[in-house]
Amino acid sequence: MKRIFIWVLLLHIVLCGKLLAQEMADCGTASPGQAIDLSQEGGIYVPAGGVFKVLVVFARFRDDVTPHPYWPVGGDPDNYSTFIDPNINTNSTHYVNLTHYYKKMSLGTYKVFGQAVSVETPHDKAYYITPPATLPDRFLANKDVLQNAVDPLINFADYDKWRYDSDYHHTNVPDGDGTVDMIVMIWRGGFIFGNWGGEASLGGGGSFSVENGTKTIETGYRGGFFPAPGSGVTIHYWGERAPEIMFKASVHEVGHWLVGADHPYTNFHTTDNHIAWGMLTRGGDGICANTYERERVAWIDPNPITSDILNAPFQDYVEYGTAYKYHPPNGATNEYYYFENHQKLNIYDNASANPNDKGIFVIHQLEPYNSTNNIRIKTSNGQWNWGNPFSSSCFGGVTVPAFKTTTINRNGRNNRDELLTSTGSSFLFALIQSDGVAQCGGWLFGAGLNNSFDLTYNDVFSPYSNPYTHTWGNVQNSFTMEVIDQNGSVVNTKFYLTDPLSGKPSKPQGLSVDVNSSNPHLTWSAAGEPDVNPNGVFLIERRFKPQNSSWEDWIQVGSPAGNATEWTDPGVQYANLDVGEMLQYRIRAKDTQQLTSVYSDVVSLEGAFIFTKPVTGRDVPTDFELHRSYPNPFNPTTTIKYDLPEPAKVSLIVYDVLGRKVAELVTEEKPAGYHSVRWNAIDVASGVYLARFTASDANGYSKYSRISKLILMK
């Protein structure tokens, strides 16, 4: 049974994007592309603010005896009574709860509550099948259940409080307009009405009355190919479909009434499909409403970027609604970049399946939602060309293509995109690791990968970075975002429009290592920034791990020019022996403003190594620098490192906070190179101390001076 379910899940993800025969699991009724007035806000077919009562009906055929782990035969589904709060004061906080979801997404402005009932059909399934059809008629089944099983249990007048006037315009009418507002029908069973997980109507076919003829239930959808009034949506809740997937499907289908008919993540009948988060993404994707959706229904008001912003503070996007948006002036009319800070403070924050992936997530939006692909995620791990050298068996025996990145292609695809194979396309379910072995997992949703921009992994999104800030049509624009600081969950960024080179260089990518005539040989992608290539430099660092020992410290071993794309390490010879020694390399770019990028990804060599040049014989640093001591705080010893690009007279003296000299660590001439000194404070009391470092030339003129704080904790 589990294997069958995995097959269904994979097919659900792939086929829903391709729409091979009809809209698949968790897909609403599509319509042709339609013009949308961006000045309009609020729910398009139902209100998105105020009090909105929703009736949830869990329905089962009375002869349904199929196995279901969350819905016993002839009984009620697990926890159905908590699917929606009965009033606005219940304040449920668990995940599978419509009231809680809309409260969080709307920041408290959309008060959704109501009632959940569990009923069975008055007749067996065959009663609702009209030959030559082989499946039950959804209109007939919904009508029979609502009229004969639900009507005696509830007062439909409680669910008629709004009047649809026109798109985006709704009037609260306490006595109702005669038409029920919203019913979520959740049916037990797999694909009983068709091959989909959810659909944004009650089956079409017209209307019928309840409540002694005083209330009408409409069964159409206003945004479909044949627009018609409607009062609800239909969900399939099949066996092994976890409650949270059924919950996401409900949010998705109601989302069609709030935002519109179409799916922004797919280009129907093509291989240009993408995974995002939002109300209108598929059931397996993130349920968190994205900036476009929350702005569209007037739940948030993103900050527009129209000029340089030197400090843009981002609170957590889901919890507080903070977001920024930028319209490239050379882009399409309604093209935007959206920026969200996801710190996972909220249970609905599932922009990434990697629990450690916290930072600024970037969405690229082409136009208002329509029937073509117009939303992409710009992941911080970049856009690539992908190779598919073999397939792998995953998820209990399902054969899927295994992928690996090959070369940088800033206009290519990332882990959120549908990837091409030699025979077709697939999403990323198996990722080939550095050892050549494919690992199955949730790479498609960011598991184990970095998708966000932060201070350490990738902090620059610019016209030269990977990914880059080009327009949808791949035209370069003058725009850079740089992450500059983080305090708790608040991330601070800069936005440069006047000069995109004002920020730091972008992260070097494509670093690899092999052996060239017995020396480690590095290659990487060319620097894009004009202030790095050719007049900047790359700073190359190396560290060594002896057999059965721990890693030594990183040291700088080279500084080739900024137009370089390769470098051979003259200080090491590699012996291809099965010895457990390890070398690792990383690089960073330094521009003509003396600003440095974050480090590249680390690459490794394993074997046996012969160091042919001593430390003092290696390439010297390009700048004076006093490094932060390690450890710090310390007890009782700490190591202080400093770099000299030229010979200098060095003074390194430790003072207490009152300015009294505590220790003289260095007072002598030192050659150019990388230096360190250890301070043993065994006889010094706990407290804060200041290490003052100066480097002077032969005439005594100071070339460099810095002070570092040391914390001794005994």
Side-chain angles (χ1 to χ4, degrees):
M1 189 67 181
K2 184 175 182 180
R3 180 171 298 184
I4 293 173
F5 167 68
I6 295 297
W7 272 106
V8 171
L9 175 62
L10 291 175
L11 289 172
H12 152 57
I13 293 172
V14 176
L15 297 183
C16 182
K18 292 185 175 180
L19 208 71
L20 294 179
Q22 59 181 328
E23 292 200 74
M24 299 294 289
D26 300 326
C27 298
T29 304
S31 67
Q34 51 189 331
I36 298 178
D37 181 0
L38 282 180
S39 67
Q40 295 171 323
E41 291 185 324
I44 182 171
Y45 305 128
V46 295
V51 176
F52 190 59
K53 294 194 70 173
V54 173
L55 174 63
V56 181
V57 178
F58 288 86
R60 63 188 182 276
F61 290 106
R62 71 181 188 182
D63 58 337
D64 180 7
V65 294
T66 58
H68 198 299
Y70 310 107
W71 195 335
V73 173
D76 301 327
D78 293 351
N79 303 319
Y80 83 94
S81 61
T82 58
F83 192 81
I84 189 170
D85 284 359
N87 55 65
I88 59 176
N89 298 318
T90 303
N91 291 321
S92 294
T93 58
H94 55 277
Y95 188 90
V96 183
N97 181 272
L98 288 175
T99 305
H100 187 212
Y101 173 81
Y102 289 114
K103 177 181 179 181
K104 286 297 185 181
M105 287 301 109
S106 70
L107 303 177
T109 61
Y110 196 33
K111 300 175 175 61
V112 175
F113 66 98
Q115 183 179 0
V117 296
S118 176
V119 297
E120 71 176 16
T121 58
H123 304 91
D124 292 346
K125 184 188 297 185
Y127 175 85
Y128 306 98
I129 300 176
T130 304
T134 58
L135 296 176
D137 184 278
R138 181 157 49 111
F139 169 80
L140 293 178
N142 282 332
K143 177 177 182 291
D144 196 22
V145 164
L146 290 170
Q147 283 185 324
N148 297 308
V150 178
D151 198 0
L153 300 178
I154 64 107
N155 182 2
F156 276 102
D158 292 338
Y159 300 93
D160 174 19
K161 300 296 180 182
W162 289 88
R163 183 182 69 235
Y164 168 84
D165 298 319
S166 61
D167 291 359
Y168 303 99
H169 296 92
H170 313 276
T171 301
N172 181 237
V173 283
D175 295 329
D177 66 346
T179 301
V180 174
D181 299 324
M182 178 56 62
I183 304 169
V184 177
M185 296 292 302
I186 302 175
W187 282 87
R188 186 187 194 277
F191 304 134
I192 53 178
F193 299 120
N195 200 16
W196 40 263
E199 203 274 336
S201 79
L202 294 175
S207 62
F208 55 88
S209 63
V210 290
E211 209 67 43
N212 295 319
T214 62
K215 298 297 177 184
T216 297
I217 293 177
E218 299 282 357
T219 61
Y221 172 64
R222 293 189 183 276
F225 284 108
F226 305 102
S231 297
V233 302
T234 311
I235 311 297
H236 278 146
Y237 189 13
W238 64 78
E240 294 200 33
R241 194 175 204 225
E244 56 267 26
I245 302 299
M246 172 268 300
F247 170 69
K248 290 179 181 179
S250 301
V251 169
H252 177 106
E253 301 310 333
V254 174
H256 281 298
W257 289 85
L258 289 167
V259 182
D262 303 300
H263 300 111
Y265 49 75
T266 184
N267 197 357
F268 298 156
H269 302 289
T270 77
T271 57
D272 196 14
N273 302 295
H274 309 271
I275 297 297
W277 55 91
M279 293 186 291
L280 288 187
T281 54
R282 287 161 290 210
D285 305 357
I287 196 176
C288 173
N290 59 54
T291 306
Y292 173 83
E293 292 173 335
R294 292 175 95 180
E295 178 186 31
R296 192 83 183 111
V297 297
W299 290 344
I300 66 171
D301 187 14
N303 300 294
I305 303 167
T306 57
S307 61
D308 292 349
I309 303 177
L310 300 184
N311 187 9
F314 281 83
Q315 287 188 303
D316 181 81
Y317 165 73
V318 185
E319 195 73 2
Y320 301 103
T322 303
Y324 288 78
K325 68 176 185 177
Y326 170 69
H327 169 62
N330 57 344
T333 303
N334 297 313
E335 180 178 346
Y336 284 94
Y337 277 106
Y338 294 104
F339 301 88
E340 306 171 0
N341 171 27
H342 290 262
Q343 295 293 316
K344 303 186 185 297
L345 301 184
N346 188 282
I347 61 174
Y348 297 114
D349 190 347
N350 48 11
S352 171
N354 181 353
N356 299 314
D357 191 13
K358 302 176 182 179
I360 304 299
F361 286 76
V362 181
I363 295 175
H364 195 184
Q365 175 80 37
L366 176 61
E367 294 284 352
Y369 281 16
N370 53 47
S371 59
T372 61
N373 156 42
N374 61 354
I375 185 170
R376 298 172 182 170
I377 307 305
K378 293 296 184 180
T379 63
S380 60
N381 53 42
Q383 312 287 124
W384 300 82
N385 291 320
W386 294 77
N388 167 221
F390 56 87
S391 294
S392 183
S393 179
C394 294
F395 313 117
V398 179
T399 299
V400 297
F403 293 99
K404 66 176 182 178
T405 57
T406 55
T407 55
I408 290 176
N409 178 0
R410 289 172 173 81
N411 199 38
R413 303 191 180 192
N414 60 52
N415 65 280
R416 298 262 184 176
D417 301 325
E418 188 173 12
L419 306 177
L420 301 179
T421 70
S422 58
T423 58
S425 62
S426 175
F427 286 112
L428 181 60
F429 299 114
L431 181 63
I432 301 174
Q433 309 297 303
S434 58
D435 59 4
V437 177
Q439 289 189 5
C440 307
W443 316 106
L444 174 63
F445 306 108
L449 299 173
N450 290 88
N451 285 184
S452 67
F453 292 82
D454 60 18
L455 288 170
T456 56
Y457 178 75
N458 194 349
D459 61 350
V460 171
F461 179 54
S462 76
Y464 311 100
S465 63
N466 181 29
Y468 54 17
T469 59
H470 283 35
T471 67
W472 197 277
N474 201 29
V475 177
Q476 181 172 317
N477 62 63
S478 180
F479 173 71
T480 292
M481 179 207 72
E482 178 186 346
V483 179
I484 59 173
D485 190 24
Q486 181 165 352
N487 296 300
S489 62
V490 178
V491 176
N492 297 85
T493 69
K494 288 183 178 180
F495 292 105
Y496 303 102
L497 274 65
T498 304
D499 180 8
L501 292 173
S502 296
K504 295 165 58 177
S506 61
K507 174 181 179 176
Q509 288 188 312
L511 180 65
S512 63
V513 61
D514 56 16
V515 178
N516 182 12
S517 299
S518 79
N519 294 103
H521 179 70
L522 304 179
T523 58
W524 59 89
S525 179
E529 292 89 343
D531 58 352
V532 174
N533 184 353
N535 296 320
V537 295
F538 285 101
L539 306 177
I540 301 177
E541 295 186 6
R542 180 186 73 208
R543 69 173 179 173
F544 174 61
K545 182 182 181 299
Q547 188 177 17
N548 301 321
S549 186
S550 57
W551 286 101
E552 295 181 355
D553 293 335
W554 287 99
I555 58 172
Q556 184 175 314
V557 294
S559 54
N563 58 356
T565 58
E566 60 180 344
W567 180 81
T568 299
D569 189 345
V572 179
Q573 287 186 349
Y574 174 70
N576 188 17
L577 302 174
D578 188 17
V579 177
E581 295 180 349
M582 293 282 292
L583 275 186
Q584 288 188 335
Y585 291 89
R586 64 186 184 184
I587 65 174
R588 52 180 174 161
K590 187 173 185 178
D591 64 18
T592 55
Q593 305 174 74
Q594 306 303 302
L595 300 175
T596 56
S597 70
V598 296
Y599 286 106
S600 68
D601 293 342
V602 174
V603 294
S604 303
L605 272 179
E606 183 174 3
F609 304 95
I610 301 171
F611 293 90
T612 59
K613 295 173 66 177
V615 172
T616 54
R618 297 170 186 159
D619 291 350
V620 298
T622 57
D623 295 292
F624 291 99
E625 187 169 358
L626 175 66
H627 297 278
R628 182 176 179 178
S629 62
Y630 181 83
N632 190 21
F634 67 99
N635 177 28
T637 62
T638 187
T639 298
I640 304 173
K641 296 184 178 182
Y642 57 94
D643 302 343
L644 302 176
E646 60 189 63
K649 183 176 181 180
V650 173
S651 171
L652 182 56
I653 300 176
V654 178
Y655 299 88
D656 64 18
V657 292
L658 298 178
R660 296 174 298 198
K661 185 185 298 184
V662 175
E664 292 186 359
L665 302 182
V666 183
T667 53
E668 60 181 320
E669 293 275 350
K670 289 289 185 181
Y674 304 93
H675 302 272
S676 66
V677 62
R678 177 172 293 184
W679 180 35
N680 189 337
I682 187 67
D683 297 325
V684 179
S686 297
V688 176
Y689 296 89
L690 303 175
R692 182 179 181 185
F693 172 83
T694 58
S696 305
D697 63 15
N699 297 316
Y701 292 105
S702 176
K703 304 280 289 185
Y704 179 85
S705 180
R706 288 291 186 275
I707 293 177
S708 177
K709 183 168 68 173
L710 312 175
I711 301 175
L712 175 60
M713 298 178 64
K714 294 186 174 179

